[in-house]
């Protein structure tokens, strides 16, 4: 019998956990009817499904009038979780010389004003701020706020820790930050606090994977503010600003269908109707005895705006966002005028006016659209790239602040490792031999970093520094936890050293130690083989694995580029290179010893080889230029011409006839469609050993690269080092690498969406409207999160990136990726600062290093290579080091799984939920069309998953873990173009066996005990 923890209720193993589950104040989901209110009992937000299940829904919406145009006024504030000021400065209202904004005062003022009139409404979005504010409130103030939420007067929308960027975020980090914010709302307010609507009013373009994620989180709809100016013009004419977005080509509709509304004024009020202290529109002056009585004028202007807006929408309901950035700090100004506006406009109904104005919320507005029972235009692509004018494409931020983008991606991997080891190590991981550690600090830092002015690179420099500092602090907390957990699992409490600068060959321990061990922890649910490179000063070493067997290792000299980039932070002259293997969700330990009298290290030859190859790949070079000339897959017997070089676009300074728009943090605007080549040739040196072959290329003092082929690798590594970008010529520079091939691409290439599903892109083309192209380069750039590829019928070249970058295919057979930007002008989008990064280490301009992995395959099998390759870059192994000999009883190898998961399945989340339970997400990582082998349903047995955890109970949740899966009922919407598909609910073979279909993510709460 399986007993599921029910906090006072028990469930037998045969139950699918129907009916009442957990008390409202539990840490999970809630189903009790939360009753509250003044002067009697009032039901909050209950909707009854066809099956009779009661579900949250606003019953607190004001009545509308069926024979009138209903104008839904939505009071709101848009509170950036960092932008011009840091997140803490915004909360407290500090540094108002930069921007007047203080979130704590906004929430104080809004709550006060809501209590003065029960008709008033307000929505709040950013849980990172609300959480800070809530902790500071008295218990009586908290009761008051709960009452406002229960009565639908204060409504949460979106509800994530932040409003995430959509171009540069990885889906795993987005899911994490949404889960964190929604969990706080669920635990604090119960079902009335659960947002029904996703709300991304400010992000600069919209990703299909975000819409898919929101649908799987149970949202009824999605509203955003920004879309391409040409797209909006067409949609206004066709009345398609409200649509149905089918956000997956693999998940069965309507699983990833999301009703999507495009707001009329971005997220601002209509012109002339902004009554915040930050605005200068005139208030409503309604005393006829006083000067400047203006009620008639206000009503007339409002009616004209409402009737004009109604022409672009399909129903007799329209929405107006009454608020903007950091507004409502003095909420009385807004509400006093909104009360009057509603009163005087509605008074005109007695004179025959057909306009009805009401306080509303996005969910109340959405409910009316659903009741209209119309059909809606269907969209299957995404909303990138975004332009707000002919020469203003927001495609620069796809690459802006490349070092921060990489640090965020590394931090995501570190957080997943921290989460996993907290579960596998048990309670001792949080309090053990190395002190008290936690994962929460890193979770919050990563959640804030997903904000649309954080990882996007569109914040001021001091704010970017703050995001990085938070991530570093989070990792410090996690390191204690990881050390405690590994001590518990290995039986050794020897000190563990972390070397976070291995990419520039810095690690004080390995540089000086004669004997040390390396623990390689693998966060993937399959075994991995991984090349390790350690900075050393010896010339010969022996390496042995966990079984004591010798491992082939070679010493190579540190490159000139690495010596240049690390400055005086490390002093190793050599690198020790060897290959490690680690079991799934586990570690393996390698011992390294210095040999006194070993052979000298491999020397670098100053000549260009014509070829480097292993048993899988062959790479040729042009001996005259030192550049790549071809790539061959020896297994599949395919070969392409491939040249690769580095170029820079001259960033517009805004001083030209067509437009005054300069390139900046947001906007990419090159002065010319032809980039400048940095050098036609590369100086080269070659290192060839049994472990690795390298061609080190130097293009200029500020661009170099290593073309690297490891012995057992099916991917070619290009490690690029770019910077400091020279600006003494007063020219801003946007540096790209371009791969030119013999593949016949017909102007088509492919990019991923937030690291998951792949979308087709075509030059100078948009699937839903006839594009008038005005920026031939920037208008063809798209976000690349983890991979892009070009292909024809025979060959597919996939490039896996190590961070989010922008790129395009401007010429047939070519793929270009922007690596680094340094600009001299602000692009007039609010940040007020040119993107000109320097640091203490690099006062003359930031140097950035990264990797591209190239894989050449036959198109039908390419995903079988690039899916695991990309996951391996996102979740790479963590190396920790111990000096000297390990104690003899140390456990040198461990796996947290009983067996590796099937190749199609990715373990997305394993994290402690509360004392006795863990949250598990399993993901099918293939699209339905991309693999003969892997695009099939796969079944996993949850009881046979873990080696150290006994699974005592299971219940399935929605993607954001704030509803029971079988109670997640969403509005259904009918597309114009096809029949409403019946959703066939497929049954799992048994309670413990769960089946994953292509691109499906399933979320489980497991009751566990350590074996």
């Amino acid at each position: 019998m399986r007993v599921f923890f029910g906090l006072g209720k028990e469930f037998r193993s045969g139950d699918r956990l129907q009916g009442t589950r957990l008390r409202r104040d539990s840490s999970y989901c809630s189903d009790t009817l939360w009753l509250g209110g003044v002067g009697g009992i009032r039901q909050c937000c209950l909707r009854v499904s066809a099956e009779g299940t009661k579900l949250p829904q606003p019953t607190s919406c004001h009545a509308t009038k069926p024979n009138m145009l209903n104008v839904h006024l939505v009071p709101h504030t848009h509170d950036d979780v960092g932008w011009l000021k840091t997140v803490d400065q915004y909360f407290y209202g500090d540094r108002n010389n930069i921007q007047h904004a203080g979130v704590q005062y906004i929430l104080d003022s809004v709550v006060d004003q809501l209590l003065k009139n029960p008709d008033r409404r307000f929505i709040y979005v950013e849980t990172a701020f609300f959480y800070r504010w809530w902790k500071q409130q008295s218990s009586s103030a908290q009761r008051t706020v709960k009452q406002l939420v229960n009565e639908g007067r204060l409504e949460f929308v979106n509800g994530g820790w932040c409003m995430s960027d959509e171009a540069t975020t990885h889906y795993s980090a987005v899911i994490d930050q949404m889960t964190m914010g929604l969990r706080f709302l669920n635990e604090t307010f119960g079902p009335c606090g659960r947002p029904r609507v996703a709300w991304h009013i400010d992000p600069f373009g919209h990703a299909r994977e975000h819409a898919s994620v929101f649908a799987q989180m149970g949202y009824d709809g999605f509203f955003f503010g920004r879309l391409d100016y040409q797209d909006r013009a067409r949609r206004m004419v066709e009345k398609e600003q409200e649509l149905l977005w089918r956000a997956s080509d693999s998940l069965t509709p309507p699983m990833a269908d999301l009703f999507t509304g495009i707001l009329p004024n971005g997220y601002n009020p209509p012109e002339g109707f902004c009554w915040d202290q930050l605005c200068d529109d005139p208030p409503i002056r309604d005393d006829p005895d006083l000067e400047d009585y203006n009620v008639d004028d206000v009503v007339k202007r409002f009616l004209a705006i409402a009737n004009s807006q109604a022409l672009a929408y399909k129903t007799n309901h329209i929405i107006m966002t009454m608020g903007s950035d950091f507004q409502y700090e003095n909420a009385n100004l807004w509400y006093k005028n909104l009360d009057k506006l509603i009163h005087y406009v509605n008074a005109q109904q007695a004179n025959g006016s057909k306009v009805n104005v009401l306080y509303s919320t996005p969910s109340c507005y959405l409910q009316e659209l659903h009741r209209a029972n119309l059909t809606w235009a269907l969209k299957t692509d995404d909303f990138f790239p975004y332009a707000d004018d002919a020469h203003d494409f927001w495609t620069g931020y796809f690459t802006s602040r490349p070092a921060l983008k990489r640090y965020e991606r590394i931090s995501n991997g570190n957080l997943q490792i921290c989460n996993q080891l907290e579960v596998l190590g048990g309670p001792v991981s949080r309090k053990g031999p190395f002190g008290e550690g936690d994962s929460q600090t890193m979770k919050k830092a990563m959640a804030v970093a997903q904000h649309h002015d954080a990882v996007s690179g569109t914040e001021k420099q001091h704010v970017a520094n703050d995001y990085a500092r938070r991530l570093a602090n989070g990792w410090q907390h996690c390191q204690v936890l990881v050390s405690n957990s590994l001590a518990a699992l290995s039986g050794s409490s020897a000190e563990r050293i972390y070397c976070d600068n291995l990419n520039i060959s810095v690690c004080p321990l390995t540089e000086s130690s004669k004997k040390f061990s390396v623990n390689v922890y693998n966060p993937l649910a399959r075994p991995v083989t991984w090349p390790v490179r350690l900075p050393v000063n010896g010339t010969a070493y022996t390496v042995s694995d966990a079984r004591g067997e010798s491992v082939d290792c070679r010493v190579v000299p540190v490159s000139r580029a690495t010596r240049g980039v690390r400055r005086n932070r490390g002093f190793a002259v050599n690198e020790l290179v060897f290959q490690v293997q680690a079991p799934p969700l586990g570690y393996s330990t390698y011992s390294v010893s210095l040999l006194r009298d070993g052979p000298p290290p491999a020397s670098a030859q100053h000549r260009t080889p014509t070829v480097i190859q292993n048993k899988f790949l062959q790479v040729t070079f042009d001996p005259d230029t030192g550049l790549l000339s071809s790539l061959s897959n020896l297994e599949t017997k395919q070969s392409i011409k491939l040249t690769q070089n580095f170029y820079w676009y001259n960033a517009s300074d805004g001083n030209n006839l067509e437009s005054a728009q300069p390139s900046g943090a947001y906007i990419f605007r090159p002065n010319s469609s032809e980039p400048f080549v940095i050098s036609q040739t590369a100086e080269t040196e070659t290192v060839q050993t049994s472990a690795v072959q390298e061609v080190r290329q130097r293009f200029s003092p500020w661009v170099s690269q290593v073309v690297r082929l490891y012995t057992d690798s099916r991917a070619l590594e290009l490690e690029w080092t770019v910077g400091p970008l020279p600006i003494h010529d007063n020219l801003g520079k946007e540096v790209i690498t371009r791969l030119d091939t013999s593949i016949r691409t017909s102007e088509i290439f492919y990019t991923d969406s937030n690291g998951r599903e792949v979308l087709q892109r075509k030059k100078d083309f948009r699937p839903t409207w006839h594009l008038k192209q005005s920026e031939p380069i920037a208008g063809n750039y798209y976000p690349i999160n983890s991979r892009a590829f070009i292909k024809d019928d025979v060959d597919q070249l996939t490039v896996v990136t190590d961070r989010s970058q922008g790129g395009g295919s401007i010429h047939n057979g070519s793929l270009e990726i922007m690596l680094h930007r340094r600009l001299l002008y602000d692009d007039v989008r609010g940040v007020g600062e040119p993107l000109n990064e320097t640091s203490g280490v690099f006062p003359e301009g930031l140097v950035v290093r990264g990797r591209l992995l190239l894989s050449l395959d036959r198109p039908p099998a390419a995903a079988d290579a690039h899916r695991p390759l990309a996951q391996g870059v996102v979740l790479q192994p963590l190396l920790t080091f111990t000096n000297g000999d390990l104690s003899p009883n140390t456990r040198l190898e461990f796996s947290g799984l009983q067996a590796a998961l099937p190749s199609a399945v990715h373990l997305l989340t394993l994290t402690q939920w509360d004392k006795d339970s863990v949250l598990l997400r399993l993901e099918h990582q293939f699209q339905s069309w991309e693999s003969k082998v892997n695009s099939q349903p796969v079944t996993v047995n949850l009881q046979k998953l873990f080696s150290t955890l006994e699974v005592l109970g299971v219940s399935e949740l929605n993607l954001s873990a704030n509803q029971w899966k079988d109670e997640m009922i969403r509005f259904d919407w009918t597309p114009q173009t096809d029949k409403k598909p019946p959703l066939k609910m497929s049954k799992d073979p048994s309670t413990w066996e769960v089946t994953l279909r292509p691109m499906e993510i399933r979320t489980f709460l497991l009751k566990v005990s350590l074996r």
Side-chain angles (χ1 to χ4, degrees), residues 979-990:
K979 292 194 216 62
K980 190 187 294 184
L983 179 58
K984 296 189 283 291
M985 294 305 290
S986 44
K987 289 274 173 108
D988 289 324
S990 73

Side-chain angles (χ1 to χ4, degrees), residues 475-493:
W475 181 224
Q476 290 296 316
H477 284 246
C478 268
Q479 282 182 7
V480 177
L481 187 154
V482 168
S483 293
N484 284 337
S485 180
L486 290 174
L489 295 170
S490 68
S492 165
S493 53

Side-chain angles (χ1 to χ4, degrees), residues 601-646:
S603 60
Q605 307 291 319
H606 289 273
R607 59 175 179 77
T608 304
T610 53
V611 63
I612 58 175
Q613 76 176 64
N614 63 15
K615 58 192 176 224
F616 305 117
L617 296 179
Q618 182 184 71
V619 187
T620 66
F621 294 81
D622 181 328
D624 298 326
T625 63
L627 304 180
L628 281 169
S629 59
S630 78
L631 175 63
S632 304
N633 182 326
L634 303 176
E635 286 184 294
T636 56
K637 301 185 171 51
Q638 62 189 120
S639 187
I640 58 167
K641 289 180 185 166
L642 169 65
T643 60
Q644 181 244 357
N645 209 332
F646 294 85

Side-chain angles (χ1 to χ4, degrees), residues 919-938:
L919 189 72
L920 170 74
R921 287 191 185 95
L922 296 176
E923 166 190 4
H924 196 304
Q925 61 178 343
F926 284 80
Q927 282 171 262
S928 59
W929 49 267
E930 66 185 359
S931 168
K932 283 193 180 114
V933 181
N934 284 308
S935 295
Q936 305 293 332
V938 186

Side-chain angles (χ1 to χ4, degrees), residues 1 17 24 96 156 185 257 343 357 407 591 653 675 760 768 780 928:
M1 180 180 90
L17 305 183
R24 189 195 153 272
N96 277 347
F156 294 102
L185 294 178
D257 286 3
H343 172 73
V357 191
Y407 191 45
S591 295
D653 59 8
Q760 185 186 92
T768 52
N780 282 304
S928 59

